[in-house]
Amino acid sequence: MPDTATLQSVTHKFSVHQTECYLTLAVDDDGRLALLDVKVAKWGSTMAGLITALCRVVNLALDQGASARDIADRFRGLAFEPRGQTTNPDIAEAQSICDYIARYIDARMEADQ
């Protein structure tokens, strides 16, 4: 696991169909995605719990060498509620929170290279 005291991170607020979320991406000194965290504003909801569990699995995969591209490739296009308009004009619509995360990772990691 990376030394989280040395990671650079960005936290991005977004909504998918009026479901507010906060996505934190942290990168190591080499610019490699090292940590992903998502908080869903609907605390205590099934969705918030599942997203938290998903983040734990993603972080285990990152610890084992999975790349940002690996993660994004598996999330992109997943379709389930909530879906629809987002608050990000660069990603106007998303098929799910996971689809949004994948597309944001793609855009962010390309911008950082």
Side-chain angles (χ1 to χ4, degrees):
M1 175 166 227
D3 178 5
T4 55
T6 62
L7 298 177
Q8 297 291 320
S9 68
V10 61
T11 298
H12 169 68
K13 179 181 176 182
F14 70 96
S15 294
V16 174
H17 189 65
Q18 301 176 339
T19 300
E20 187 174 282
C21 302
Y22 296 85
L23 168 63
T24 300
L25 300 177
V27 296
D28 61 19
D29 291 336
D30 296 328
R32 184 180 172 284
L33 182 62
L35 183 81
L36 180 144
D37 187 47
V38 180
K39 299 295 183 210
V40 177
K42 294 181 179 183
W43 289 109
S45 70
T46 300
M47 180 181 9
L50 289 171
I51 294 292
T52 297
L54 178 71
C55 288
R56 289 181 183 181
V57 171
V58 166
N59 289 324
L60 285 171
L62 291 169
D63 288 347
Q64 296 300 312
S67 69
R69 177 81 50 217
D70 293 334
I71 302 303
D73 285 350
R74 280 148 185 89
F75 284 2
R76 193 179 314 98
L78 288 178
F80 55 87
E81 297 296 331
R83 74 176 82 197
Q85 284 189 307
T86 78
T87 52
N88 183 342
D90 295 328
I91 305 171
E93 292 196 19
Q95 296 299 310
S96 64
I97 291 172
C98 290
D99 180 54
Y100 184 93
I101 292 167
R103 294 168 63 199
Y104 187 82
I105 287 171
D106 283 341
R108 185 69 190 195
M109 299 319 272
E110 283 179 19
D112 288 347
Q113 292 181 358

